[in-house]
Amino acid sequence: MAEFSHTFPAARGVQSGRPCYVAMCPLRLIPKIFIFDGQEVPPELRAQRVLNRTRIPDIVSYLVDNPTDYTLSGITASVDGQVSFEPSTDTGIAQNLGLLSIPMDAKILINDGQHRREAIVQAIEQNPELGYDNVPVLFFIDEGLKRSQQMFADLNKHAVRPSDSISTLYDHRDHLSELARVVAREVKVFSRLTEMERSSISNRSSKLFTLSAIKNASKALLMKGKSDLISEDEQQLAIEYWNEVAANMRDWQLALEKKVATCELREQYVHAHGVMLQAMGQIGADLLFKPKSQWSRILQGLQVIDWARANSEWEGRAMHHGRISKARSSVILTGNYIKQQLSVPLTPSEQEYEESLKP
């Protein structure tokens, strides 16, 4: 097999004194030439983490559902074998452009991109036309297990998952993200006081809400018992609901008018945190079955609720040991207390959570 090789148009370069090559590889060749070291061997003898197969279906669906509008980042691989590079010219810039030949009996191990590799395999099975697309591959020359392990560590050391807020801001495929953007734009108090990039708010920030919190709260508001797309009428209903909630939150209005510092509200009140916002989403899911005149009147009761952290009723609900909690149970128990203050009956499941509070 040594006389046979895979040949790719490639660009040659150098990193840390070592040669490397970038090539465009047809997707249909990915399963044939790239090996993932997924054997059941101890971690210290592997150069990669174990494949997490729960991640793969989402990537497969993304590729299959968007065959003309997907973006796939590159794969990094190590070649355990003697490669050859034939430059286009002997001098000038083009001497680093040419044909990279890798022996077919060489072992090509993926250092970064193993989940993409497996997803490509499954996506091509469902849609063979994807096999004619390309993915960029960065080839390094294998220098043994220790070097491959270090490459994996280095490649992942500085990888930072984007915040939920900025993912929501930039995701134009997800209908819940679209809902969050519309609500954040059309609800006046949100449009002025929402942190669009980060999913947490610093003490010095002038913002009161995060886009990710608005997304989660609006999901709770509209998606109870449904999984289909959100209509424009439902979007409008969400806007009306949140505008009505905001109209009855005096402190939110003071923050909008810059008459109170948002950091002061976050420090002293529970209504300046995502747990309250999501609780109001869950409450709204029950209220919106009523005519607007009814749920609008019910929401007026928000004006008389004591939102201060000093209110002992929030302990064990929105707070645990004086700290705001984002746990699901905290959201439900926070919503329960708000419902009780609004004279809205609890559902059987909500009542079960109330029972858990009893000593």
Side-chain angles (χ1 to χ4, degrees):
M1 290 289 290
E3 65 270 24
F4 299 100
S5 62
H6 298 291
T7 302
F8 308 93
R12 177 175 57 184
V14 176
Q15 277 194 15
S16 63
R18 299 177 175 89
C20 58
Y21 308 88
V22 178
M24 297 302 295
C25 180
L27 295 187
R28 64 184 181 277
L29 293 183
I30 293 295
K32 297 179 181 179
I33 64 175
F34 291 100
I35 298 172
F36 168 64
D37 183 13
Q39 304 173 34
E40 292 299 323
V41 295
E44 62 271 19
L45 299 180
R46 293 198 309 263
Q48 301 146 305
R49 55 190 160 199
V50 174
L51 201 66
N52 181 358
R53 295 195 174 276
T54 61
R55 291 179 53 190
I56 296 169
D58 286 342
I59 307 175
V60 175
S61 297
Y62 168 69
L63 295 174
V64 173
D65 294 344
N66 303 281
T68 62
D69 190 27
Y70 70 86
T71 303
L72 198 61
S73 57
I75 291 173
T76 302
S78 294
V79 181
D80 183 9
Q82 186 67 42
V83 306
S84 64
F85 182 77
E86 182 181 342
S88 298
T89 63
D90 295 330
T91 59
I93 296 177
Q95 66 181 324
N96 287 318
L97 300 176
L99 296 177
L100 174 68
S101 295
I102 302 175
M104 287 188 177
D105 59 356
K107 183 178 180 181
I108 306 176
L109 183 69
I110 292 180
N111 301 108
D112 182 59
Q114 59 266 36
H115 292 91
R116 269 162 279 153
R117 175 208 179 275
E118 183 60 28
I120 288 169
V121 173
Q122 296 183 26
I124 292 176
E125 290 176 354
Q126 297 183 38
N127 182 2
E129 291 297 317
L130 288 170
Y132 295 94
D133 286 357
N134 296 276
V135 63
V137 180
L138 175 59
F139 290 102
F140 288 96
I141 306 304
D142 194 307
E143 297 182 15
L145 178 62
K146 183 177 180 180
R147 173 60 183 167
S148 291
Q149 289 178 336
Q150 187 61 57
M151 286 174 63
F152 176 85
D154 291 346
L155 287 166
N156 288 278
K157 183 180 297 182
H158 303 294
V160 178
R161 183 179 182 273
S163 71
D164 289 341
S165 284
I166 200 165
S167 293
T168 298
L169 182 63
Y170 291 163
D171 191 345
H172 295 277
R173 301 186 199 278
D174 179 39
H175 58 281
L176 286 173
S177 295
E178 173 65 17
L179 172 65
R181 292 193 297 270
V182 170
V183 168
R185 182 176 65 247
E186 299 299 331
V187 177
K188 186 176 180 180
V189 71
F190 290 164
S191 69
R192 305 289 180 83
L193 298 175
T194 295
E195 169 57 62
M196 303 297 283
E197 290 192 48
R198 299 175 179 83
S199 293
S200 60
I201 299 177
S202 67
N203 291 334
R204 297 180 180 180
S205 175
S206 61
K207 306 300 183 182
L208 197 59
F209 315 98
T210 64
L211 185 60
S212 58
I214 292 173
K215 176 182 178 178
N216 291 333
S218 297
K219 176 182 178 180
L221 176 67
L222 291 184
M223 301 304 290
K224 187 175 183 179
K226 70 189 292 287
S227 59
D228 52 349
L229 297 177
I230 298 169
S231 67
E232 290 187 9
D233 288 343
E234 288 173 319
Q235 285 187 356
Q236 187 58 41
L237 185 60
I239 293 168
E240 292 177 8
Y241 175 77
W242 289 118
N243 270 323
E244 200 67 34
V245 169
N248 289 288
M249 300 297 295
R250 179 56 181 160
D251 287 334
W252 291 6
Q253 298 300 324
L254 291 175
L256 182 64
E257 298 165 5
K258 300 187 182 300
K259 294 180 179 179
V260 64
T262 55
C263 61
E264 180 182 334
L265 295 183
R266 288 193 297 275
E267 182 179 330
Q268 299 182 18
Y269 299 91
V270 300
H271 61 35
H273 296 272
V275 61
M276 178 271 183
L277 204 63
Q278 190 163 350
M280 287 307 304
Q282 294 187 352
I283 293 170
D286 294 331
L287 293 183
L288 293 184
F289 287 105
K290 304 176 184 291
K292 182 180 178 180
S293 59
Q294 290 188 29
W295 58 257
S296 179
R297 184 172 62 253
I298 291 172
L299 290 176
Q300 292 176 11
L302 296 173
Q303 300 177 31
V304 297
I305 294 177
D306 182 359
W307 298 103
R309 289 197 191 202
N311 178 4
S312 61
E313 293 291 343
W314 297 119
E315 183 59 39
R317 296 180 186 271
M319 298 190 304
H320 289 282
H321 306 294
R323 297 178 63 88
I324 295 293
S325 171
K326 297 179 181 179
R328 173 174 167 74
S329 59
S330 297
V331 172
I332 294 174
L333 289 168
T334 298
N336 285 359
Y337 179 70
I338 297 172
K339 274 190 168 184
Q340 290 166 353
Q341 302 307 298
L342 299 179
S343 299
V344 175
L346 303 182
T347 66
S349 62
E350 290 169 344
Q351 189 61 51
E352 290 180 9
Y353 277 89
E354 284 300 301
E355 296 297 325
S356 69
L357 279 181
K358 295 180 180 179

